[in-house]
Amino acid sequence: MAPSLLSADFSRLAEQVAQLERAGAPLLHLDVMDGHFVPNISFGIPIIESLRKETKLFFDAHLMISEPKRYAEAFVDAGCDHITFHIEATDEPGAVVDHIHGLGVSVGVSLNPTTPASAIESILGDVDLVLVMSVWPGFGGQKFIPDVLEKVTQLRGRLGAHQRLQIDGGIDPKTIGPAAAAGADTFVAGTAIFRQPDPPQAMRELHDLARAAADAS
Ligand code: DX5
Ligand code: ZN
């Protein structure tokens, strides 16, 4: 499970992150939005720098920004362990992949719901993770778009065992099963975790549902 910070209470970030870390969260999904690539502005370097001091969690940065290559180093310096950029945000994906790997961190590429898997053909063998968006990026709490599951299955067949296949947006107890059955191995959830009465319990339940679906498929 990859809890998305976007849905956390920004007046209690360190406390909520510590709560999930104690509950065994493997990483933290950081939804960075620039108000240009997506129609929303979330948070940036200062928040990440501050949180970095408070937790040992792996920081999985999802950069929903234009010019990802220009800002990647600043996010790594702020403490990000992984950088995912959007294929729609660059016309030189190979150079972005090489640049981020050059910073010493793993790299992922994200596809919007209607972007075909073919759009990442040129870098498919080089990335460490592919992130399939199951909502239009920009906001938490949106409805899952099931059409993307076909793309998940298609990509699963193309990716190596060392490459992660992450799905992001509208993941909840009803949608996580089909997402796991389609081949996703990492599940981003914001609302379904942070907006629940007991976030650690919600995260554990989602984890168990994904495991059961993967075992059954
Ligand atoms: C949307 C973000 C998602 C979002 C997930 O642009 O990339 O990570 O925060 O939020 P939920 O789980 O609420 O759909
Ligand atoms: Zn995200």
Side-chain angles (χ1 to χ4, degrees), residues 55-76:
T55 173
K56 294 204 175 5
L57 278 178
F58 184 94
F59 279 6
D60 162 35
H62 175 194
L63 300 188
M64 288 163 275
I65 68 171
S66 304
E67 299 185 273
K69 188 159 165 265
R70 176 178 170 190
Y71 293 102
E73 185 161 11
F75 281 97
V76 173

Side-chain angles (χ1 to χ4, degrees), residues 4 6-7 29 31 33 62 64 133 135-142 168-171 188-191:
S4 160
L6 188 68
S7 305
H29 184 80
D31 282 315
M33 301 176 185
H62 175 194
M64 288 163 275
M133 293 305 297
V135 295
W136 281 96
F139 300 91
Q142 299 181 80
D168 181 1
I171 293 295
V188 176
T191 306

Side-chain angles (χ1 to χ4, degrees), residues 32-127:
V32 177
M33 301 176 185
D34 65 359
H36 183 256
F37 178 71
V38 291
N40 192 11
I41 298 175
S42 60
F43 57 88
I45 303 293
I47 290 267
I48 294 171
E49 277 174 343
S50 303
L51 266 183
R52 183 68 282 170
K53 301 195 306 296
E54 303 294 328
T55 173
K56 294 204 175 5
L57 278 178
F58 184 94
F59 279 6
D60 162 35
H62 175 194
L63 300 188
M64 288 163 275
I65 68 171
S66 304
E67 299 185 273
K69 188 159 165 265
R70 176 178 170 190
Y71 293 102
E73 185 161 11
F75 281 97
V76 173
D77 291 348
C80 294
D81 301 291
H82 171 92
I83 303 278
T84 290
F85 68 96
H86 269 260
I87 191 69
E88 303 89 356
T90 177
D91 52 12
E92 49 166 6
V96 178
V97 169
D98 293 345
H99 176 71
I100 295 171
H101 272 152
L103 298 170
V105 298
S106 54
V107 63
V109 63
S110 183
L111 300 95
N112 282 339
T114 55
T115 301
S118 56
I120 60 171
E121 193 61 38
S122 66
I123 54 169
L124 198 58
D126 305 317
V127 294

